[in-house]
Amino acid sequence: MSLLLNPIRALSIPPLLPSSKAHLFLRTNIKLRSSQITKNEALPSKTKKKIVLFDVAPPVSEESNGTVENGRVPEGQKKLGGVPPLGFLQKVLRRALAALSNLPLAIGEMFTIASLMALATVIDQGEAPDYYFEKYPEEHPVFGFFTWRWVLTLGFDHMFSSPVFLGMLILLAASLMACTYTTQIPMVKVARRWSFMHSSETIRKLEFADSLPRASIQDLGVILMGSGFEVFLKGPCLYAFKGLAGRFAPIGVHVAMLLIMAGGTLSTVGSFRGSVNVPQGLNFVIGDVMTPSGFLSTPTEAFNTEVHVNKFFMDYYDSGEVSQFYTDLSLFSLDGKELMRKTISVNDPLRYGGITIYQTDWGISALQVSKNGEGPFNLPVAPLQINGDKKLYGTFLPVGNTDSPDVKGISMLARDLQSIVLYDQEGKFAGVRRPSSKLPIDIDGMRIVIEDAIGSSGLDLKTDMGVPVVYTGFGALMLTTCISYLSHSQVWALQDGTTVVVGGKTNRAKLEFPEEMNRLLDKVPELVDSDNTIA
């Protein structure tokens, strides 16, 4: 016999004979046999790749018709009256798992959680009970029934740590784990089992099926290997698969969602929050400003750390508006040892001992003013208007008898730390001075110098054990979601005499799989008589 390239399913092979020859033909030692191939014999093939032959059949089969089956009851399994030991409990457990893994139930749980989260954006969180008494009175219930009793009884004033919200998270987690155990893990186990089909009729019933007359199943195996398939060959039977990672991806998605929910729950019931506005030069103890958010919140040794605001300063745009503000912080232990120092800004926090200190706000706490060479005096500054970034602060320098009910003085206004606007005792504009410029201004016979404007830093502090878990969960979710798009493709083939019957299926890419298989089958060479040549 000789090997002749099929003009329909052609395999591109470089010529093995000198180009001067008039005829191109390949000779091989393959000797076709009938379909009655013995158990321990395999079709030989001269190829560059080798296919490992297995003398033992696969342990478990996926097909009930024409495949190897291994459905024996394990030895040692005892039965009592047809019911295994603890059969009732196992039956209840199976029913519970089946109920939890129900897809409509899981969708309903996610919809309920989303609704509760939306409700939390409508109901103000963390307010005092009196606030809800006034906003949701019983005399005028919202929608005719919703009053403060609903809010406080169900814990909707702290939605994300309320029993209703946490219970829904636990129920959704149970559904995900039940679905993983009852559906996804068995699917992976089945996908990992390689099995042969011994019936050509069974192969022809697959999603894709074709036959190659006068072809070798070993040639098909080599071509499948070159396309990334894992190939198993036993006698006249072939099984190949690729894309097994796509079967593991749904389990990874479920694990990622569980991590996200676990991290969010830890953040809700095991964290601390605090905020403080500290003038430049003052300090505070971290534990004095932190408030627990849940029953798992446990303070650490870092709570005894003292934070000192060394300096507060700001950067400005050319237009004069604030572009960024900074705080130079030092952390001290109880014995006065400096542990850490860093200048923080917006989006550049300080982290120490699991505590994160954010720069979130700014203000003006005092003006240092000299009058007629005396001082400087620290004049407290009060906020007059705070509307987002549009802020206005003011102070007052009394003149004359301060015990008089009609005290007069010099008014000073500031929008930031750049400049101070001064008004005389009659309220008329007197001038503008920049702090630290040392440039005096005469008002009502007095010489005033603005020595400095002392800023105050708005800081937010938090500890959150759930943040790393949530980040890990979202990273795993993105990765496994991408992997889930990989197709798990399976191919079976049977050498039936001189014909190779091929079939396959895939869980995704239903349209691309037949095209890919046709391209691969086109590369399988046809076996012809040695006397035939190609002119």
Side-chain angles (χ1 to χ4, degrees):
M1 302 291 288
S2 64
L3 186 64
L4 180 66
L5 298 181
N6 190 342
I8 298 178
R9 300 192 182 276
L11 172 63
S12 299
I13 301 178
L16 301 179
L17 298 178
S19 59
S20 60
K21 299 293 182 181
H23 300 282
L24 173 64
F25 63 93
L26 300 176
R27 295 187 179 275
T28 180
N29 293 328
I30 295 177
K31 182 177 180 182
L32 285 178
R33 302 184 182 182
S34 63
S35 59
Q36 288 80 16
I37 299 178
T38 59
K39 179 178 181 180
N40 295 322
E41 290 181 328
L43 292 175
S45 176
K46 270 191 176 182
T47 58
K48 295 182 179 180
K49 292 186 178 181
K50 295 182 179 180
I51 302 178
V52 180
L53 304 182
F54 293 87
D55 292 330
V56 180
V60 182
S61 170
E62 295 182 35
E63 301 290 339
S64 60
N65 185 11
T67 62
V68 177
E69 296 186 3
N70 185 9
R72 295 182 303 165
V73 178
E75 296 182 3
Q77 179 176 349
K78 298 181 180 180
K79 295 186 177 181
L80 180 60
V83 180
L86 302 178
F88 175 76
L89 294 179
Q90 292 177 354
K91 185 177 180 180
V92 172
L93 179 60
R94 283 195 299 268
R95 288 186 176 180
L97 290 175
L100 287 173
S101 59
N102 183 267
L103 181 59
L105 175 63
I107 294 175
E109 293 164 356
M110 289 188 287
F111 178 79
T112 303
I113 291 173
S115 301
L116 292 175
M117 295 174 66
L119 186 61
T121 64
V122 177
I123 301 176
D124 295 321
Q125 301 291 295
E127 300 292 341
D130 292 342
Y131 174 85
Y132 302 104
F133 295 157
E134 296 178 2
K135 190 166 185 178
Y136 305 102
E138 293 183 324
E139 293 79 10
H140 304 285
V142 180
F143 302 121
F145 69 94
F146 192 83
T147 66
W148 60 267
R149 294 185 182 275
W150 287 84
V151 177
L152 299 181
T153 303
L154 298 178
F156 288 169
D157 56 329
H158 50 279
M159 177 68 74
F160 301 106
S161 60
S162 65
V164 176
F165 188 82
L166 295 179
M168 290 305 305
L169 286 181
I170 294 173
L171 186 58
L172 178 59
S175 294
L176 289 175
M177 289 187 288
C179 178
T180 302
Y181 179 77
T182 60
T183 305
Q184 301 301 333
I185 292 179
M187 290 177 64
V188 170
K189 289 181 177 180
V190 169
R192 292 183 62 186
R193 295 169 182 165
W194 51 273
S195 59
F196 299 114
M197 293 187 181
H198 298 276
S199 170
S200 59
E201 295 299 325
T202 303
I203 296 177
R204 289 189 176 94
K205 293 179 181 179
L206 296 174
E207 298 174 2
F208 171 85
D210 201 352
S211 59
L212 302 175
R214 306 181 66 84
S216 170
I217 196 171
Q218 290 190 350
D219 293 335
L220 173 62
V222 172
I223 292 172
L224 290 174
M225 288 177 62
S227 185
F229 281 84
E230 295 288 337
V231 178
F232 302 89
L233 182 64
K234 180 179 183 295
C237 302
L238 178 145
Y239 170 71
F241 73 89
K242 71 174 182 179
L244 186 60
R247 287 294 190 181
F248 286 92
I251 297 177
V253 171
H254 288 182
V255 173
M257 293 179 65
L258 290 174
L259 285 175
I260 294 172
M261 290 189 294
T265 303
L266 280 177
S267 298
T268 301
V269 301
S271 61
F272 284 85
R273 297 286 191 276
S275 60
V276 62
N277 199 301
V278 187
Q280 175 179 304
L282 298 184
N283 51 27
F284 65 95
V285 178
I286 291 178
D288 293 342
V289 301
M290 300 292 273
T291 303
S293 61
F295 59 90
L296 293 180
S297 301
T298 304
T300 63
E301 185 65 26
F303 278 46
N304 296 323
T305 304
E306 184 178 5
V307 181
H308 183 77
V309 179
N310 300 314
K311 186 179 180 181
F312 175 80
F313 57 98
M314 294 190 290
D315 287 341
Y316 303 90
Y317 294 112
D318 294 337
S319 61
E321 296 181 353
V322 176
S323 64
Q324 182 64 280
F325 38 98
Y326 307 86
T327 304
D328 181 12
L329 297 177
S330 290
L331 303 184
F332 293 91
S333 61
L334 293 179
D335 56 5
K337 180 182 178 182
E338 187 176 39
L339 304 174
M340 184 178 181
R341 182 169 183 173
K342 180 180 179 180
T343 299
I344 67 172
S345 60
V346 177
N347 297 327
D348 184 18
L350 180 149
R351 293 181 173 88
Y352 173 78
I355 300 172
T356 305
I357 303 178
Y358 297 91
Q359 178 76 73
T360 57
D361 202 0
W362 64 274
I364 303 176
S365 61
L367 291 179
Q368 286 187 348
V369 180
S370 296
K371 182 179 70 172
N372 295 328
E374 299 178 356
F377 307 101
N378 285 335
L379 299 179
V381 174
L384 303 180
Q385 176 185 351
I386 298 179
N387 183 16
D389 293 334
K390 306 299 183 181
K391 300 183 179 183
L392 181 62
Y393 296 86
T395 188
F396 184 77
L397 177 62
V399 176
N401 185 9
T402 57
D403 295 331
S404 173
D406 186 16
V407 180
K408 292 186 177 182
I410 300 172
S411 301
M412 305 178 191
L413 300 178
R415 293 190 180 275
D416 49 46
L417 302 180
Q418 288 189 107
S419 57
I420 309 300
V421 182
L422 296 94
Y423 300 86
D424 62 15
Q425 298 182 49
E426 302 299 327
K428 297 180 180 180
F429 174 75
V432 178
R433 289 297 181 268
R434 184 179 295 274
S436 303
S437 66
K438 306 298 182 182
L439 183 63
I441 182 172
D442 293 327
I443 304 177
D444 296 334
M446 293 176 293
R447 173 158 289 193
I448 306 297
V449 178
I450 306 297
E451 300 287 349
D452 195 9
I454 302 175
S456 62
S457 178
L459 304 175
D460 277 1
L461 297 85
K462 75 170 187 177
T463 62
D464 198 336
M465 300 181 297
V467 169
V469 182
V470 172
Y471 285 173
T472 302
F474 273 110
L477 182 62
M478 291 186 289
L479 178 62
T480 54
T481 300
C482 294
I483 295 176
S484 66
Y485 285 98
L486 297 177
S487 298
H488 177 237
S489 303
Q490 297 172 283
V491 176
W492 288 268
L494 179 66
Q495 184 83 55
D496 188 6
T498 60
T499 301
V500 176
V501 181
V502 185
K505 64 180 181 179
T506 185
N507 64 332
R508 300 186 186 275
K510 300 291 186 179
L511 298 179
E512 291 80 2
F513 180 70
E515 297 178 359
E516 179 187 11
M517 289 301 303
N518 283 324
R519 287 195 301 268
L520 295 177
L521 296 183
D522 286 341
K523 299 179 181 180
V524 179
E526 181 184 6
L527 298 177
V528 298
D529 293 335
S530 59
D531 295 335
N532 296 336
T533 59
I534 300 177

